[in-house]
Amino acid sequence: MPPASPASPESYENNEPTAGAAGGPAISRKSLLRAALVATAVPLLAGGGVALARDTGASGAPLAPTPDCDDGDEPTHDQIEGPYFKPNSPLRTSLVTSPTPGVPLTVSGYVFGRECRPIPGVLLDFWQADTNGAYDMSGFNFRGHQFTDRNGAFTLTTIVPGLYPGRTRHIHVKAQAPGSGILTTQLYFPGEPRNSTDMLYDAALLMNVRAVGSGKQGTFDFVLDVAQDPTDPTDPPTDPTDPPTTPGGTWAAGTAYTAGDRVTYGGAAYRCLQAHTALTGWEPPNVPALWERG
């Protein structure tokens, strides 16, 4: 079972201090929360900060907001795409096969909006180097996209990426909520010597990583710059498991599209860039990661 996801490292920034007892130093609500969790079985971030664990949602009900979500936290930092992105990645949650060399790695977490409520149906497109630090530019090794489930959760099975000149270890990702813009960013590993020399490295994008057997488990929660009405339901408008309709013709929610399919929407023609099952909110003009006009 994947580990419970922590709050993202950037959520530990910008704490508003409150007066300490007996005139002592100011403390924040998050500091109190971390202190309360130290005695529990919650994994620690590099440097000793507590990674706030979330309920795994075994009941299937939407998860409650995390306890640190209303402190004015900023959305997840963006980063450059880099030269190795390719569209049309396959829909999959595992980027490895049985003979794939490298240290096994599982990355799991949640995607939230500005009100810290989980967002279902978020498109997450991952790409990374292999164990030797090379990107596959002719095929789709170590490339794949997926959608968050009804609880806003995701899980990626891969390997620890290798090093190449000028960069520390990292995983690229594009995240796009239905009807929203694209966040392009990178995830980093704590304790890497090259973190201090990589000009792109951002400590706010550190994953929480621990060793498990011969592999590693990482966790990270994305916060997208998406407004959320607390009274709105968290369920996706269309269930991705609904039987798909036939692709082609006029764009329609619930249709399973493959790369190269052509549709019309609003009087314009579009070509599908990545295989996916359409959701309400994923209309072609709203999702340039999935549809190209023309």
Side-chain angles (χ1 to χ4, degrees), residues 82-100:
Y84 301 117
F85 173 70
K86 289 178 59 177
N88 306 327
S89 70
L91 175 64
R92 59 187 179 187
T93 59
S94 177
L95 308 185
V96 300
T97 56
S98 55
T100 301

Side-chain angles (χ1 to χ4, degrees), residues 153-175:
F154 71 93
T155 299
L156 176 71
T157 301
T158 183
I159 62 167
V160 175
L163 296 168
Y164 58 93
R167 294 305 314 274
T168 189
R169 298 186 200 277
H170 61 282
I171 298 174
H172 293 270
V173 59
K174 288 180 179 286

Side-chain angles (χ1 to χ4, degrees), residues 103-139:
V103 177
L105 170 69
T106 300
V107 180
S108 60
Y110 296 85
V111 180
F112 301 98
R114 290 204 304 264
E115 297 298 324
C116 292
R117 298 173 60 243
I119 309 177
V122 173
L123 170 65
L124 294 170
D125 196 347
F126 295 97
W127 72 102
Q128 66 171 80
D130 64 17
T131 191
N132 297 315
Y135 288 83
D136 180 11
M137 298 305 295
S138 61

Side-chain angles (χ1 to χ4, degrees), residues 31-266:
S31 296
L32 290 172
L33 185 56
R34 287 198 211 97
L37 290 172
V38 165
T40 71
V42 176
L44 300 180
L45 288 168
V50 172
L52 299 176
R54 286 180 47 75
D55 190 318
T56 58
S59 66
L63 297 173
T66 55
D68 69 324
C69 272
D70 57 358
D71 286 359
D73 299 320
E74 296 180 355
T76 300
H77 294 182
D78 63 342
Q79 292 220 309
I80 64 172
E81 178 181 284
Y84 301 117
F85 173 70
K86 289 178 59 177
N88 306 327
S89 70
L91 175 64
R92 59 187 179 187
T93 59
S94 177
L95 308 185
V96 300
T97 56
S98 55
T100 301
V103 177
L105 170 69
T106 300
V107 180
S108 60
Y110 296 85
V111 180
F112 301 98
R114 290 204 304 264
E115 297 298 324
C116 292
R117 298 173 60 243
I119 309 177
V122 173
L123 170 65
L124 294 170
D125 196 347
F126 295 97
W127 72 102
Q128 66 171 80
D130 64 17
T131 191
N132 297 315
Y135 288 83
D136 180 11
M137 298 305 295
S138 61
F140 290 94
N141 291 326
F142 296 107
R143 299 175 184 273
H145 72 275
Q146 60 178 278
F147 296 88
T148 56
D149 67 16
R150 61 176 291 135
N151 290 320
F154 71 93
T155 299
L156 176 71
T157 301
T158 183
I159 62 167
V160 175
L163 296 168
Y164 58 93
R167 294 305 314 274
T168 189
R169 298 186 200 277
H170 61 282
I171 298 174
H172 293 270
V173 59
K174 288 180 179 286
Q176 186 174 26
S180 183
I182 302 172
L183 167 71
T184 301
T185 191
Q186 302 177 35
L187 303 181
Y188 295 98
F189 295 75
E192 288 291 327
R194 290 197 189 180
N195 287 353
S196 61
T197 60
D198 188 329
M199 297 298 291
L200 294 177
Y201 168 76
D202 185 346
L205 299 172
L206 276 172
M207 293 184 289
N208 180 25
V209 179
R210 64 173 182 165
V212 179
S214 61
K216 295 182 180 294
Q217 288 181 344
T219 51
F220 189 87
D221 290 343
F222 295 92
V223 180
L224 302 184
D225 190 12
V226 174
Q228 294 176 298
D229 182 344
T231 63
D232 285 346
T234 59
D235 289 340
T238 303
D239 187 345
T241 62
D242 286 345
T245 59
T246 302
T250 303
W251 181 93
T255 303
Y257 292 105
T258 60
D261 285 346
R262 294 186 175 274
V263 300
T264 58
Y265 183 84

